[in-house]
Structures are given as C-alpha cells and as structure tokens.
Amino acid sequence: MPSHIKKSTKKFEKNHLKDTIERRKTGAKIKQKQQVKVKKQARNAKDKADREEIRAEDVGSRKSVSEGKSTNPFGNMSVDEFFQGGFEIPEEPKKKAGKAGKTKHVQKNIGKRKRVDPEEDENDASSIGSVEDNAVLNGSEAGSVVDDDFDTHKGDLDALAEKDPEFYKYLKENDAELLDFEETADLAEVDELSGSDAEETPRKKQKKGKKDTVAVQDEPNQEGMETEVSMAMLKKWRIALVEQHSLRAMRQVVLAFRAAAHVNEGDGKEYKYTISNSDVYHELLVLTLTHVPEVLSHHLPAKESTSGKIRVATESKKYRTLTPLLKSHTASVHHLLTTLSDAPTLKLTLSSIIPLLPYLLSFRKILRNLVKTVVGVWSDSANTEATRINAFLTIRRLTIIGDTGLREAVLKTVYQGLVKGSRNTTMHTVQGINLMKNSAAELWGIDPSIDYTTGFTFIRQLAIHLRGCITNNSKTQDSYKKVYNWQYVHSLDFWSRVLSTHCDALKEAKNGKESSLRPLIYPIVQVTLGAMRLIPTAQYFPLRFHLIRALLRISLATGTFIPLASALLEVLRSAEMKKPPKASTLKSLDFSTSVRSPKTYLRTRVYQDGVGEQVAELIAEFFVLWTKSVAFPELAVPVTVMLRRWVKEVSNKSTGNKNGKVNSAIVLLVQKLEANGKWIEARRAKIDFAPNDRAGVEGFLKDVDWEKSPLGAYVVGQRKTREERARLVEDGRRDEERKRKQDKDQGNEDMANGVDELGSEDEDLDDAEDE
C-alpha cells in the first residue's frame, strides 16, 4: 500500500465514490433480477417439456389399449360424444379379473381419458390431459396452483435463500417488495388457509357424482366473467367474516373492494366484480374497511411489547400467502383515499389503515406512498377537523411502531405537508394550521435519536434562506420575500412549539434528563431574531408580532431569557407611532391572519391603534414571565425609563401623535411595571441569601402564584378581555358563513324553480299552438 495517497484518489473518494458504490449496488440488483428471470424461463421450459412427455405417454398408452381391444365401444367416440352419454366413477379400485363387467368398466374409465387430438390443448395452461387431474387441481384447495409464474418465482426465491442467505436477508430488510407478488394477483392461494370452506377433501369424495365433477369443470369458465355484487352476497360475506373469520370470504371481499375503489374509471382494467348500486357500494366499503382488518388480525395477530415494538410472524407460511391479499387491499385503500371527498367515509378509511400498519412495515414503497397520501389529507384545509385528526393518528401510529429510518421519512413528509398546507392563511384556515402545528409537534418527541438531527436540518434550511436574503438584498429587490411569507413564519412558529413542548422544565424533570432538542433553542432564537429585523418597516409590524409571540412561547416553557423588549421599543420609536395618524373608515386589521399590512392602512388611526395595542400586550406578556423574579426591578427599570420618555414625547400637543388611546395604554403599563417592581423590592428586603446562592434565587416566591402579583393581575384581566373580543368575532364569522350558505342554497333553489317555470311556460305555448 503506498504511503502517500494521490490527490486524484482523494478527489474521487470525496466526489464520486458514493455514487459509484450506489451504481454498483443498482447494477448488482439488476443482474440478480436478470438471473432470476433466466432461471424462471429455464424452469418453465423444462416443466413444459415434462408435460409434453407425459401427455405423449398418455396418448400412446390409450392408442395401444384401443388397438388391443376390438370390442371397445369408445374407440371411435369423440370427447364431446362421450360426455353427452354420461359416465360413472367406481367407488373402490377393482382387482384384475376376466369378467366382462369389470373389463368393460375399466374400458369406460380409460375411454374417459381419451382425446381425439392431443395437440389441440397444448397451449391451454389449465388443461393437463385428463378430467381426473383437472378435478384434483380445481377442486382441492390445498393442492391448487395459482400461477406457474408465481410458483416459479417462489421457487427461485427459496433457492436464493438457501444459496445466498445474506443477500436474501438484505433484500428482505431493504426491498421486501421484490420478494412478494404483484398487487394484481388473483389471490386464489389464500383459500388454502380458510378453515371454513377450504378443507382438503379426499379424492373419492371429489369424484363422487356427476354434479360435483361438472361443477368443478364449470368453475374455471366463470373466472373471465364479471359478477354483479348484490346485498345477498354482502350478507353472506359478512356472516363468514364475523362468525368464521373466513379467509376465502375475505379474498372475495378484497377483490370486490378493488373493483369498488376503481369504479367509474376508464382505465381499461377488468375486475372480477362490478358494482352498479350505490347502496351496495356503501355497504361493501363499510364491510371491507371494518372486518378485513379484524380477520387479518385473527389469523396473524400482531404482538406489541412494552416498549411499543410490534412483532408479526413474517416468516410463517400464512403471512407469505396473505401477502398478495394484503398488498392488494392496501393499494385499493390508497387509491380510495385519493378519490374520496365524503367526510364520514374518509374518516372510516383512515381508521381502517391503523390496524394494517404492523403488516406493512416490510413494504417501504407502499408505506411511502401511503404516508404521502395520508399527510395530504391531514394538511388539506378543505377536510373537517375530525378527518384531519384521524389522519394524524394514523401518522402517529406509524411513527411509533416504525424503525428509525421509517420515522425519519415520516417526519420529513409531515414537515413538508405542514409547510405546503400553510401557504394560504386566512381567518377560515388559521385554526386548521394551528391544529397541524400542535399535532406535528408531538411527533418530534417519540425518538430522541432522530429528533435532534431532523430538527437541526430543517432549522439550518431556514437559516440558509435568511442568510441568502441578507446577502442578496442589495442585488435583488424581492429577495426578502423568501423569508417574509406565511410559510416561513409558520415554520419558525412550529419549531417554537416543538421546543416548548419537549423542552419544558416540568417534563424534563419528570423524565429525569434534558431533552435532546434543548440545543436547538439557541439557533432557532437567532434565526427568528434575524428574520424579525430583516425589513424593519411599519408594513411588516404584524410579522414581527408573530415572531415575538413564538419566542415568548419558548421563553415561557424552557425558562430561557430572550431580550424582546428592545424589538418592541423599536416599534414605538418608529415614525408610524410618533406622528399623528390620518382619519380612516377602514375596519380594524386582524393581526392574527396578517404578516404584511396593506399600504392603505399605513399612517391611519385604525392601524396606529392596533399596533399600540399589540405593543402594550406583548410588553406585558414579556415581563409577566419574570414577574416573580428576584431581579425584576433591575430588568424593568430601563424599559420603564424608555416608555416614560416616549410618552412624554408623543404627548406634546404640537409634535405628538395626538392619540390618547395608545398613550394611555402605555402609561397604564408603566404604572403596573413600577408597582410590580416595588412589590418585589418589598419581599426582597426580607431574604437572607446572597445573589450567588442559586438555590435561594430559584426558590424566591416559589409558593406565590404569579396571578397575585400586580403585573400578573393586570395581564389576567387583559387576557379575559381579548378572549371575549375574539369570541364575539368568531361568532360573527360563523353567522356570516351560515348566512352566506343559506343565500347560496336559496339562490340554487330559485334557479331550479325558474327552470321549472320556464318549462311549464313552454308547454303552455306548445298547447296553444296545437289548438
């Protein structure tokens, strides 16, 4: 080995080694597939040759018998003529004897196997040369052959497991779908496991009478025909599923459900069942979504450990046999989710997915597509709240039982869905967006090993966007729009909810250790402060208020001091708040659904009142976090000095803002801050510990509720006032929506009545013309 590595080798390792290894792995997989395909073709050719040889031997034996027996009445009889005459099958094998009756009976059995032209059925895969063998293949469920390709594929995989168990294990862990059948398989192999109707019967009973044989022969002919699903069939299937847990009934239900999921679609595919009645369609969906998971759980119970891990017997023959049925049903459910719009049905469909998740953990491609669809339902503002909660429960269940790789993929998909769903924020969608942020925040506390890595990755992306806007702001005029939009604001707010949920001091004390997400507090605070001051204009004061609320949430939950008073004082010192406003008839701006103020609101009285109210509220909310702190007086003095100076400046009759409402609110806030400072000083005079006594500082006024402090009582009253105002606004919005809906329905009804009146007038005119 050379002592010095070449520069070109290092460059190759850095830039191309990973891609080269991936290409080699992909090539190895393709080569493996080609080898399996070649082996399958060779085996098919060999099996075909064996069938040809057996068929030729049967034909030769029949010819020799017909030539040696001149009295054979069936020698010149065709197969159709023979079946028209009827035949009997002996109950017990007869010993060879010279009696004519016995000899005749043997000749009759031989004649039943005779063919006129054995080459006519060479290309028929279901025919193997004799009625007796056909009866065994079609009547015995235990020995049935679903498809030669499937059997060959299974044989090749079994051989691969024996020859190269390591590669087989790799395929099973990373791409288990290569080891299973297609979702469009006929699923007939499932009947082997049904204990109700699929019991293997002896060959004698299968050939007992003519009716049984004819039924067996007619069965394959009905496979190409479409069967109409009726209520009677659904009732029969329901009884079999509920009382017997029949796998055969479940197979039929899954096939019918597949047709129902693709109903009225011109995709050119043919299905075994058809549904034309809406009541039947609804009953079939309820039956399938309710009872198929129950039957599957009965035959393949999933065992859950105390740590939350799920174990399914994936090595069992029953699981391998049920795999095509499971994949087909999951594909149908996934397709149904993309087409449903009815809230109750969508809710039932999502609930039915949860019991299926333990059985789908090996099929990453199916789970990936399913998660994307479920996240789409969860992030769609058009869906009801109950539907979106059911979608989240499905996502959460998969995150709990999945492994690390699957959890990471789910978290990334959920975050992408959250960002995509928060693009349009209005008073009608803001509640749904808050629901998404609160529910998604819970997922980041399930697996500490990936919570930090995924959180750091997404916060780093936000920092990169902010840095790009800062560096390109002078070059591109609209570069700031990458940051100053609802998606970016909701992303920062979401991470504040994640950190406040999982880095809470009480929760960490309960768990006995710090949260793995606590190191993310500093970067998210820095990114938020940077975004807040990117464009410090009055038009983006609403965005600043949103970000300050996010930081207040982090400070409240984690006990981290974040200096926010300076950002609020900047708003008061702006020209928007110092100069007298213009009179306006505009309605109040809703700061909860705005990140940018319209230009028509700037320098108006209504906007100045709204901004002043927001500043007073946020300053009070900031200081109430430290209302019991032993250092509150020192913390509040600089702010109270600045506020008094601002009040004095704007109260000037000639140069002030002439807004008594805002000025009086700030004066009241200053009074409460000073009162709370004196309250702390009075209690601080009685302590006997030094500032360096950490335990004493943290325990100061620990037994006093913060609501009993002067500032706390003021904040409680302000919160109640705002909640009452928000309730009135929400009631008005609901009444407006209800009235708009009634007007729309009334308009549709009037339009329908107008069409009917026009039709009656046309009929009257026609009658008059006839007269």
Side-chain angles (χ1 to χ4, degrees), residues 641-709:
V641 170
M642 296 294 293
L643 290 177
R644 283 190 174 277
R645 186 179 302 171
W646 180 85
V647 170
K648 182 178 180 180
E649 182 179 355
V650 298
S651 298
N652 191 312
K653 294 182 179 181
S654 59
T655 60
N657 59 10
K658 299 179 182 180
N659 192 333
K661 180 180 179 181
V662 174
N663 299 343
S664 60
I666 299 299
V667 170
L668 178 61
L669 175 63
V670 171
Q671 294 174 357
K672 296 300 180 183
L673 291 176
E674 291 178 345
N676 200 85
K678 294 179 180 179
W679 182 72
I680 291 294
E681 288 177 352
R683 281 155 180 76
R684 193 169 62 178
K686 301 177 182 179
I687 62 175
D688 54 355
F689 55 85
N692 60 355
D693 187 353
R694 187 72 176 176
V697 170
E698 291 181 353
F700 179 71
L701 297 181
K702 197 171 185 179
D703 55 342
V704 179
D705 295 333
W706 67 271
E707 294 91 344
K708 295 181 179 180
S709 65

Coordinates of all heavy atoms in Angstrom, one line a residue, residues 641-709:
V641 N -38.1 53.5 31.8 CA -37.5 54.8 31.5 C -37.7 55.2 30.1 O -38.1 56.3 29.7 CB -36.0 54.8 31.8 CG1 -35.3 56.1 31.3 CG2 -35.7 54.7 33.3
M642 N -37.5 54.2 29.2 CA -37.7 54.4 27.7 C -39.2 54.7 27.4 O -39.6 55.6 26.6 CB -37.3 53.2 26.9 CG -35.8 53.0 27.0 SD -34.8 54.3 26.3 CE -35.2 54.0 24.5
L643 N -40.1 54.0 28.1 CA -41.5 54.2 27.9 C -42.0 55.5 28.3 O -42.8 56.2 27.7 CB -42.3 53.1 28.6 CG -42.2 51.7 28.0 CD1 -43.0 50.6 28.8 CD2 -42.7 51.6 26.5
R644 N -41.5 56.0 29.5 CA -41.9 57.3 30.0 C -41.4 58.4 29.1 O -42.1 59.4 28.8 CB -41.3 57.5 31.4 CG -42.1 56.8 32.5 CD -41.7 57.2 33.9 NE -42.5 56.6 34.9 CZ -43.7 57.1 35.3 NH1 -44.2 58.2 34.7 NH2 -44.4 56.5 36.2
R645 N -40.2 58.2 28.6 CA -39.6 59.2 27.7 C -40.5 59.3 26.4 O -40.7 60.4 25.8 CB -38.2 58.8 27.3 CG -37.4 59.8 26.5 CD -36.0 59.4 26.3 NE -35.3 59.2 27.6 CZ -34.1 58.6 27.7 NH1 -33.5 58.2 26.6 NH2 -33.6 58.5 28.9
W646 N -40.9 58.1 25.9 CA -41.7 58.0 24.7 C -43.1 58.7 24.9 O -43.6 59.5 24.1 CB -41.9 56.6 24.2 CG -42.7 56.5 23.0 CD1 -42.3 56.5 21.7 CD2 -44.2 56.2 22.9 NE1 -43.4 56.4 20.8 CE2 -44.5 56.2 21.5 CE3 -45.2 56.1 23.9 CZ2 -45.8 56.0 21.1 CZ3 -46.5 55.8 23.4 CH2 -46.8 55.8 22.1
V647 N -43.7 58.4 26.1 CA -45.0 59.0 26.4 C -44.9 60.5 26.5 O -45.8 61.3 26.0 CB -45.5 58.4 27.7 CG1 -46.8 59.2 28.2 CG2 -45.9 57.0 27.5
K648 N -43.8 61.0 27.0 CA -43.6 62.5 27.1 C -43.5 63.1 25.8 O -44.0 64.2 25.5 CB -42.4 62.8 28.0 CG -42.1 64.2 28.2 CD -40.9 64.4 29.1 CE -40.7 65.9 29.3 NZ -39.5 66.2 30.2
E649 N -42.8 62.4 24.9 CA -42.6 62.9 23.5 C -43.8 63.0 22.7 O -44.1 64.0 22.0 CB -41.5 62.1 22.8 CG -41.1 62.6 21.4 CD -40.0 61.8 20.8 OE1 -39.5 60.9 21.5 OE2 -39.7 62.0 19.6
V650 N -44.6 61.9 22.7 CA -45.8 61.9 21.9 C -47.0 62.6 22.5 O -48.0 62.8 21.8 CB -46.2 60.4 21.6 CG1 -45.1 59.7 20.9 CG2 -46.6 59.7 22.9
S651 N -46.9 63.0 23.8 CA -48.0 63.7 24.4 C -47.9 65.2 24.1 O -48.8 66.0 24.5 CB -47.9 63.5 25.9 OG -48.2 62.1 26.2
N652 N -46.8 65.7 23.4 CA -46.7 67.1 23.1 C -47.8 67.5 22.2 O -48.1 66.8 21.2 CB -45.4 67.3 22.4 CG -45.0 68.8 22.3 OD1 -45.9 69.6 21.8 ND2 -43.8 69.1 22.7
K653 N -48.5 68.6 22.5 CA -49.7 68.9 21.7 C -49.4 69.4 20.3 O -50.2 69.2 19.4 CB -50.4 70.1 22.4 CG -51.0 69.7 23.7 CD -51.7 70.9 24.4 CE -52.3 70.5 25.7 NZ -53.1 71.6 26.3
S654 N -48.2 69.9 20.0 CA -47.8 70.3 18.7 C -47.1 69.3 17.9 O -47.4 69.1 16.7 CB -46.9 71.6 18.8 OG -45.8 71.3 19.5
T655 N -46.2 68.5 18.5 CA -45.4 67.5 17.7 C -45.8 66.0 18.1 O -45.2 65.1 17.6 CB -43.9 67.7 18.0 OG1 -43.7 67.5 19.4 CG2 -43.5 69.1 17.5
G656 N -46.8 65.8 18.9 CA -47.1 64.4 19.4 C -48.0 63.7 18.4 O -48.3 64.3 17.3
N657 N -48.4 62.5 18.7 CA -49.2 61.7 17.8 C -50.7 62.0 18.0 O -51.5 61.5 17.2 CB -48.9 60.2 18.0 CG -49.2 59.7 19.4 OD1 -49.7 60.5 20.2 ND2 -48.7 58.5 19.7
K658 N -51.1 62.7 19.0 CA -52.5 63.1 19.2 C -53.4 61.8 19.3 O -54.4 61.8 18.7 CB -52.9 64.0 18.2 CG -52.2 65.3 18.1 CD -52.7 66.2 17.0 CE -51.8 67.5 17.0 NZ -52.3 68.4 15.9
N659 N -52.9 60.8 19.9 CA -53.6 59.5 20.0 C -53.7 59.2 21.5 O -52.8 58.5 22.1 CB -52.9 58.4 19.3 CG -53.8 57.2 19.1 OD1 -54.7 56.9 20.0 ND2 -53.6 56.4 18.1
G660 N -54.7 59.7 22.2 CA -54.8 59.5 23.6 C -55.1 58.0 24.0 O -54.7 57.6 25.1
K661 N -55.7 57.2 23.1 CA -55.9 55.8 23.4 C -54.7 55.0 23.6 O -54.5 54.3 24.6 CB -56.8 55.2 22.3 CG -57.1 53.7 22.5 CD -58.0 53.2 21.4 CE -58.3 51.7 21.6 NZ -59.1 51.2 20.5
V662 N -53.7 55.1 22.6 CA -52.4 54.4 22.7 C -51.6 55.0 23.9 O -51.0 54.2 24.6 CB -51.7 54.5 21.4 CG1 -50.3 53.9 21.5 CG2 -52.5 53.9 20.3
N663 N -51.6 56.3 24.0 CA -50.7 56.9 25.1 C -51.2 56.4 26.5 O -50.4 56.1 27.3 CB -50.7 58.4 24.9 CG -50.2 58.8 23.6 OD1 -49.5 58.1 22.9 ND2 -50.5 60.1 23.2
S664 N -52.5 56.4 26.7 CA -53.0 56.0 28.0 C -52.7 54.5 28.3 O -52.5 54.1 29.4 CB -54.5 56.3 28.1 OG -55.2 55.5 27.1
A665 N -52.8 53.7 27.2 CA -52.4 52.3 27.4 C -51.0 52.1 27.8 O -50.7 51.2 28.7 CB -52.7 51.5 26.1
I666 N -50.1 52.8 27.2 CA -48.7 52.7 27.6 C -48.4 53.3 29.0 O -47.7 52.7 29.8 CB -47.8 53.4 26.6 CG1 -48.0 52.8 25.2 CG2 -46.3 53.4 27.0 CD1 -47.6 51.4 25.1
V667 N -49.1 54.3 29.4 CA -49.0 54.9 30.7 C -49.5 53.9 31.8 O -48.8 53.7 32.8 CB -49.8 56.2 30.8 CG1 -49.9 56.7 32.3 CG2 -49.1 57.3 30.0
L668 N -50.6 53.2 31.5 CA -51.1 52.2 32.4 C -50.1 51.1 32.6 O -49.9 50.5 33.7 CB -52.4 51.7 32.0 CG -53.1 50.6 32.8 CD1 -53.4 51.1 34.2 CD2 -54.4 50.1 32.1
L669 N -49.5 50.7 31.5 CA -48.5 49.6 31.5 C -47.3 50.0 32.4 O -46.8 49.2 33.2 CB -48.0 49.2 30.1 CG -46.9 48.2 29.9 CD1 -47.4 46.9 30.5 CD2 -46.5 48.1 28.5
V670 N -46.8 51.2 32.2 CA -45.7 51.7 33.0 C -46.0 51.7 34.5 O -45.2 51.3 35.4 CB -45.3 53.1 32.6 CG1 -44.2 53.7 33.5 CG2 -44.7 53.1 31.1
Q671 N -47.2 52.0 34.8 CA -47.6 52.0 36.3 C -47.6 50.6 36.8 O -47.2 50.4 37.9 CB -49.0 52.6 36.4 CG -49.1 54.1 36.1 CD -50.5 54.7 36.1 OE1 -51.5 53.9 36.3 NE2 -50.6 56.0 35.9
K672 N -48.1 49.6 36.0 CA -48.1 48.2 36.5 C -46.7 47.7 36.6 O -46.4 46.9 37.6 CB -48.9 47.4 35.5 CG -50.4 47.8 35.4 CD -51.1 47.6 36.8 CE -52.5 48.0 36.7 NZ -53.2 47.9 38.0
L673 N -45.8 48.1 35.7 CA -44.4 47.6 35.8 C -43.7 48.2 37.1 O -43.0 47.5 37.8 CB -43.6 48.0 34.6 CG -44.0 47.3 33.3 CD1 -43.2 47.9 32.1 CD2 -43.7 45.8 33.4
E674 N -44.0 49.5 37.4 CA -43.4 50.1 38.6 C -44.0 49.5 39.8 O -43.3 49.2 40.8 CB -43.6 51.6 38.5 CG -42.8 52.3 37.4 CD -43.1 53.8 37.4 OE1 -44.1 54.2 38.0 OE2 -42.3 54.5 36.7
A675 N -45.3 49.2 39.8 CA -45.9 48.6 41.0 C -45.4 47.2 41.3 O -45.1 46.8 42.4 CB -47.4 48.6 40.8
N676 N -45.2 46.5 40.2 CA -44.6 45.1 40.4 C -43.2 45.2 40.9 O -42.8 44.3 41.7 CB -44.7 44.3 39.1 CG -44.6 42.8 39.3 OD1 -45.6 42.2 39.5 ND2 -43.4 42.3 39.2
G677 N -42.4 46.2 40.4 CA -41.1 46.3 40.9 C -41.0 46.6 42.4 O -40.2 46.1 43.1
K678 N -41.9 47.5 42.9 CA -41.9 47.8 44.3 C -42.4 46.6 45.1 O -41.9 46.4 46.2 CB -42.9 49.0 44.5 CG -42.4 50.3 43.9 CD -43.4 51.4 44.2 CE -42.9 52.7 43.5 NZ -43.9 53.8 43.7
W679 N -43.3 45.8 44.5 CA -43.8 44.6 45.2 C -42.6 43.6 45.4 O -42.5 43.0 46.5 CB -44.9 44.0 44.4 CG -45.5 42.8 45.0 CD1 -46.3 42.7 46.1 CD2 -45.4 41.4 44.5 NE1 -46.7 41.4 46.3 CE2 -46.2 40.6 45.3 CE3 -44.7 40.9 43.4 CZ2 -46.3 39.2 45.1 CZ3 -44.8 39.5 43.2 CH2 -45.6 38.7 44.1
I680 N -41.8 43.5 44.4 CA -40.6 42.6 44.5 C -39.6 43.1 45.5 O -39.0 42.4 46.3 CB -40.0 42.4 43.1 CG1 -40.9 41.6 42.2 CG2 -38.6 41.7 43.2 CD1 -41.2 40.1 42.6
E681 N -39.4 44.4 45.5 CA -38.4 45.0 46.4 C -38.8 44.8 47.8 O -38.0 44.6 48.7 CB -38.2 46.5 46.1 CG -37.5 46.7 44.8 CD -37.4 48.2 44.5 OE1 -38.0 49.0 45.2 OE2 -36.7 48.6 43.5
A682 N -40.1 44.9 48.1 CA -40.6 44.7 49.5 C -40.3 43.3 50.0 O -40.0 43.1 51.2 CB -42.1 45.1 49.5
R683 N -40.5 42.3 49.1 CA -40.3 40.9 49.5 C -38.8 40.6 49.5 O -38.3 39.7 50.2 CB -41.1 40.0 48.6 CG -42.5 40.0 49.1 CD -43.5 39.6 48.0 NE -44.9 39.5 48.5 CZ -45.6 40.6 48.7 NH1 -45.1 41.8 48.5 NH2 -46.8 40.5 49.1
R684 N -38.1 41.3 48.6 CA -36.6 41.0 48.5 C -35.9 41.5 49.8 O -34.8 41.0 50.1 CB -36.1 41.7 47.3 CG -34.7 41.2 46.9 CD -34.3 41.7 45.5 NE -34.3 43.1 45.4 CZ -33.9 43.8 44.3 NH1 -33.7 43.1 43.2 NH2 -33.9 45.1 44.3
A685 N -36.5 42.5 50.4 CA -35.8 43.1 51.6 C -35.8 42.1 52.8 O -35.0 42.3 53.7 CB -36.5 44.4 52.0
K686 N -36.6 41.1 52.7 CA -36.7 40.1 53.8 C -35.9 38.9 53.6 O -35.9 38.0 54.5 CB -38.2 39.7 54.0 CG -39.1 40.9 54.2 CD -40.6 40.4 54.3 CE -41.5 41.6 54.5 NZ -43.0 41.1 54.6
I687 N -35.2 38.7 52.5 CA -34.5 37.5 52.3 C -33.1 37.6 53.0 O -32.6 38.7 53.3 CB -34.2 37.2 50.8 CG1 -33.4 38.4 50.2 CG2 -35.6 37.1 50.0 CD1 -33.1 38.2 48.7
D688 N -32.5 36.4 53.2 CA -31.2 36.3 53.9 C -30.2 35.6 53.1 O -29.2 35.0 53.6 CB -31.4 35.6 55.2 CG -32.0 34.3 55.1 OD1 -32.4 33.9 54.0 OD2 -32.2 33.6 56.1
F689 N -30.3 35.5 51.7 CA -29.3 34.8 50.9 C -28.7 35.8 49.9 O -29.3 36.8 49.6 CB -29.9 33.6 50.1 CG -31.1 34.0 49.3 CD1 -31.0 34.4 48.0 CD2 -32.4 33.8 49.8 CE1 -32.1 34.7 47.2 CE2 -33.5 34.1 49.0 CZ -33.3 34.6 47.7
A690 N -27.5 35.5 49.5 CA -26.8 36.4 48.5 C -27.2 36.0 47.1 O -27.7 35.0 46.8 CB -25.3 36.2 48.7
P691 N -26.9 36.9 46.2 CA -27.2 36.7 44.8 C -26.5 35.4 44.2 O -27.0 34.8 43.2 CB -26.7 37.9 44.0 CG -26.8 39.0 45.1 CD -26.4 38.3 46.4
N692 N -25.4 35.0 44.8 CA -24.7 33.8 44.2 C -25.3 32.5 44.8 O -24.8 31.4 44.4 CB -23.2 33.9 44.6 CG -23.0 33.9 46.1 OD1 -23.9 34.0 46.9 ND2 -21.7 33.9 46.5
D693 N -26.3 32.6 45.6 CA -27.0 31.4 46.1 C -28.0 31.0 45.0 O -29.2 31.5 45.0 CB -27.6 31.7 47.4 CG -28.2 30.4 48.1 OD1 -28.2 29.3 47.4 OD2 -28.6 30.5 49.2
R694 N -27.7 30.0 44.2 CA -28.5 29.7 43.1 C -29.9 29.1 43.6 O -30.9 29.4 43.0 CB -27.8 28.7 42.2 CG -28.5 28.3 40.9 CD -28.5 29.5 39.9 NE -29.1 29.2 38.7 CZ -29.3 30.0 37.7 NH1 -28.8 31.3 37.8 NH2 -29.9 29.6 36.6
A695 N -29.8 28.2 44.5 CA -31.0 27.6 45.0 C -31.9 28.6 45.7 O -33.2 28.6 45.5 CB -30.6 26.5 46.1
G696 N -31.4 29.6 46.4 CA -32.2 30.6 47.0 C -32.9 31.5 46.0 O -34.0 31.9 46.1
V697 N -32.1 31.8 44.9 CA -32.7 32.7 43.9 C -33.8 32.0 43.1 O -34.9 32.6 42.9 CB -31.6 33.1 42.9 CG1 -32.1 33.8 41.7 CG2 -30.5 34.0 43.6
E698 N -33.6 30.7 42.8 CA -34.7 30.0 42.1 C -35.9 29.7 43.0 O -37.0 29.6 42.5 CB -34.1 28.7 41.6 CG -33.1 28.8 40.5 CD -32.6 27.5 40.0 OE1 -32.9 26.5 40.6 OE2 -31.8 27.5 39.0
G699 N -35.7 29.7 44.3 CA -36.8 29.4 45.2 C -37.6 30.6 45.7 O -38.5 30.5 46.5
F700 N -37.1 31.8 45.2 CA -37.7 33.1 45.6 C -39.2 33.2 45.2 O -39.5 33.1 44.0 CB -36.9 34.2 45.1 CG -37.4 35.6 45.5 CD1 -37.3 36.1 46.8 CD2 -38.0 36.4 44.5 CE1 -37.8 37.3 47.1 CE2 -38.5 37.7 44.9 CZ -38.4 38.1 46.2
L701 N -40.1 33.4 46.1 CA -41.6 33.5 45.8 C -42.1 32.3 45.0 O -43.0 32.4 44.2 CB -41.9 34.8 45.0 CG -41.6 36.1 45.7 CD1 -41.9 37.2 44.8 CD2 -42.3 36.2 47.0
K702 N -41.5 31.1 45.3 CA -42.0 29.9 44.6 C -43.4 29.5 45.0 O -44.1 28.8 44.3 CB -41.0 28.8 44.9 CG -41.1 27.6 43.9 CD -39.9 26.7 44.0 CE -40.0 25.6 43.0 NZ -38.8 24.6 43.1
D703 N -43.7 29.8 46.3 CA -45.0 29.4 46.8 C -46.1 30.4 46.5 O -47.3 30.3 46.9 CB -45.0 29.2 48.3 CG -44.4 30.4 49.0 OD1 -43.8 31.3 48.4 OD2 -44.6 30.5 50.3
V704 N -45.8 31.5 45.7 CA -46.8 32.5 45.4 C -47.2 32.4 43.9 O -46.3 32.2 43.0 CB -46.2 33.9 45.6 CG1 -47.2 35.0 45.3 CG2 -45.8 34.1 47.1
D705 N -48.5 32.4 43.6 CA -49.0 32.4 42.3 C -48.7 33.7 41.5 O -48.8 34.8 42.1 CB -50.5 32.1 42.2 CG -50.8 30.7 42.8 OD1 -49.9 29.9 42.7 OD2 -51.9 30.6 43.3
W706 N -48.3 33.6 40.3 CA -47.9 34.8 39.5 C -49.1 35.7 39.3 O -49.0 36.9 39.1 CB -47.3 34.4 38.2 CG -48.2 33.7 37.2 CD1 -48.4 32.4 37.1 CD2 -49.0 34.4 36.2 NE1 -49.4 32.1 36.1 CE2 -49.7 33.3 35.6 CE3 -49.3 35.7 35.9 CZ2 -50.6 33.6 34.5 CZ3 -50.2 35.9 34.8 CH2 -50.9 34.9 34.2
E707 N -50.4 35.1 39.3 CA -51.6 35.9 39.1 C -51.8 36.9 40.3 O -52.5 37.9 40.1 CB -52.8 35.0 39.0 CG -52.8 34.2 37.7 CD -52.1 32.8 38.0 OE1 -51.5 32.7 39.0 OE2 -52.3 31.9 37.2
K708 N -51.2 36.7 41.4 CA -51.4 37.5 42.6 C -50.5 38.7 42.6 O -50.6 39.6 43.4 CB -51.2 36.7 43.9 CG -52.2 35.6 44.1 CD -52.0 34.9 45.4 CE -53.1 33.8 45.5 NZ -52.9 33.1 46.8
S709 N -49.5 38.8 41.7 CA -48.6 39.9 41.6 C -49.4 41.1 40.9 O -50.3 40.8 40.2 CB -47.4 39.6 40.8 OG -47.7 39.2 39.5

